[in-house]
Amino acid sequence: MVGDIIVRPVRPDDRAAWEPLWQGYLTFYKSSLAPDVTDATWKRFFDPLEPLYALVAERDGRLVGLTHYLLHRSTWAPVCYCYLEDLFVEPSLRGGGAGRKLIAAVEAAARAAGASRLYWMTHETNETAQLLYNKVADRPGFVQYRKKL
C-alpha cells in the first residue's frame, strides 16, 4: 500500500532530494539556471529576512513535489499578497493529489500571514496543470508581459 502525501516546510537536509525536483521543474519549462542561482535560492529559504518559502510533498519518506512562494506588498491592498512562484510534482504522480495539497498548504500559509490574495501563473500550453488550477482558483484573464533586463 502506498503512503499518504505529507506537505511540510523544506529542511536544510532536503537539498539532495529537492534539487532533482527543482531541475525537473526547470527542464519542464525548457530552462536552466547557473548553479550559483540555485544556491542563492536554496539559501533564501532559510534566511529569516527573506520572504521566500519552500514546501515539499513527501510520500513514503521520499520527496515527490515542491512549491516555492513569496509574500510581498501590493499597491492594491493594505496587507500582503502571496505569489506561488513554482510548483512541481514528479510526473509519475501527477493527478494523485500532491499538487492540490501543495497549493492548499501555500493557501494556509498565506492566510496565516494575513495575505489577501494568493495567485500564480502557468504557461498557456500546460494543460495538465490547468485542469487542477481551474478547479481550485479563478482565472482572471490577465496577460503577462515580460522584458528581460
Side-chain angles (χ1 to χ4, degrees), residues 33-69:
L33 294 172
D36 62 317
V37 175
T38 294
D39 289 342
T41 297
W42 182 257
K43 288 176 186 169
R44 287 180 184 139
F45 297 146
F46 305 102
D47 183 341
L49 299 178
E50 290 282 350
L52 185 63
Y53 306 92
L55 300 173
V56 291
E58 184 179 330
R59 187 163 114 183
D60 297 328
R62 187 171 70 85
L63 299 191
V64 298
L66 60 76
T67 188
H68 308 139
Y69 65 96

Side-chain angles (χ1 to χ4, degrees), residues 64-133:
V64 298
L66 60 76
T67 188
H68 308 139
Y69 65 96
L70 61 103
L71 300 168
H72 67 87
R73 299 198 184 282
S74 170
T75 59
W76 288 53
V79 295
C80 66
Y81 284 176
C82 181
Y83 174 50
L84 192 161
E85 188 168 17
D86 310 309
L87 177 67
F88 182 79
V89 173
E90 198 174 275
S92 66
L93 296 175
R94 291 188 185 145
R100 184 182 294 266
K101 284 186 175 187
L102 285 163
I103 292 169
V106 173
E107 180 180 348
R111 287 181 188 279
S116 64
R117 177 181 294 177
L118 168 60
Y119 69 102
W120 63 93
M121 61 185 147
T122 192
H123 195 271
E124 63 187 12
T125 61
N126 192 354
E127 294 173 356
T128 301
Q130 290 178 56
L131 291 173
L132 170 60
Y133 301 162

Side-chain angles (χ1 to χ4, degrees), residues 15-38:
R15 174 77 187 253
W18 167 87
E19 192 146 358
L21 294 168
W22 176 236
Q23 293 303 324
Y25 177 76
L26 295 173
T27 298
F28 178 83
Y29 280 112
K30 298 176 177 64
S31 297
S32 63
L33 294 172
D36 62 317
V37 175
T38 294

